[in-house]
């Protein structure tokens, strides 16, 4: 976390959460009762699993079941999700849906997803339309 947020003093001591790539914050649950406490850096982060928005900087305490955990998408991020999430093996590049999270006015992002027939590219306007349809 300190590498991703060097100007945030709270990030220096965070050893129970991490960034997965540039855009996903993961806070694993280490307790038997499912309680987890994690830090949300500045901005409006979106829980990928529930769609709930959390504005930071602040500490959050939640309780999670066996099949869930805090998985937050960074503001202005586009997370490509596969169409088939029921099997571990699938044609992951087929039917990819770009999910846009807390896009600020004027923000732009182009997403490139490699596929078997070449890369697929979504400009910000297409991603914004997908976000409107999926949220």
């Amino acid at each position: 976390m300190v590498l991703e947020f060097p100007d945030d003093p709270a990030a220096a001591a965070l050893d129970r959460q991490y960034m997965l790539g540039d855009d996903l914050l993961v806070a694993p649950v280490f307790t038997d009762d499912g309680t987890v406490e994690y830090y949300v850096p500045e901005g409006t982060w979106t829980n990928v699993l529930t769609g709930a928005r959390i504005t930071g900087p602040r500490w959050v305490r939640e309780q999670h079941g066996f099949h869930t955990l805090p998985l937050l998408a960074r503001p202005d991020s586009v997370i490509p999700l596969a169409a088939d999430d029921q099997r571990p093996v699938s044609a992951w590049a087929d039917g990819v849906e770009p999910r846009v999270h807390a896009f600020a006015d004027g923000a732009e992002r182009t997403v490139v997803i490699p596929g078997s027939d070449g890369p697929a590219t979504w400009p910000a306007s297409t991603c914004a339309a997908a976000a409107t349809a999926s949220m």
Side-chain angles (χ1 to χ4, degrees), residues 53-128:
R53 294 198 172 172
I54 301 169
T55 301
R58 72 181 180 115
W59 285 90
V60 176
R61 183 179 182 92
E62 297 175 345
Q63 190 143 9
H64 286 265
F66 182 71
H67 293 293
T68 184
L69 78 163
L71 178 63
L72 305 180
R74 179 180 234 154
D76 297 332
S77 66
V78 179
I79 309 294
L81 296 178
D84 184 1
D85 64 355
Q86 300 303 309
R87 299 177 302 141
V89 177
S90 64
W92 56 269
D94 293 341
V96 172
E97 177 186 332
R99 295 267 179 100
V100 179
H101 299 281
F103 235 52
D105 290 339
E108 295 182 11
R109 172 81 59 104
T110 298
V111 178
V112 178
I113 310 280
S116 57
D117 57 348
T121 304
W122 285 286
S125 59
T126 305
C127 292

Side-chain angles (χ1 to χ4, degrees), residues 15-29:
D15 60 354
R16 294 186 177 192
Q17 66 186 62
Y18 59 92
M19 292 298 293
L20 180 61
D22 293 334
D23 294 328
L24 291 174
L25 185 151
V26 183
V29 179

Side-chain angles (χ1 to χ4, degrees), residues 21-43:
D22 293 334
D23 294 328
L24 291 174
L25 185 151
V26 183
V29 179
F30 293 113
T31 61
D32 291 336
D33 68 354
T35 301
V36 60
E37 189 170 0
Y38 60 97
Y39 178 74
V40 179
E42 187 171 341

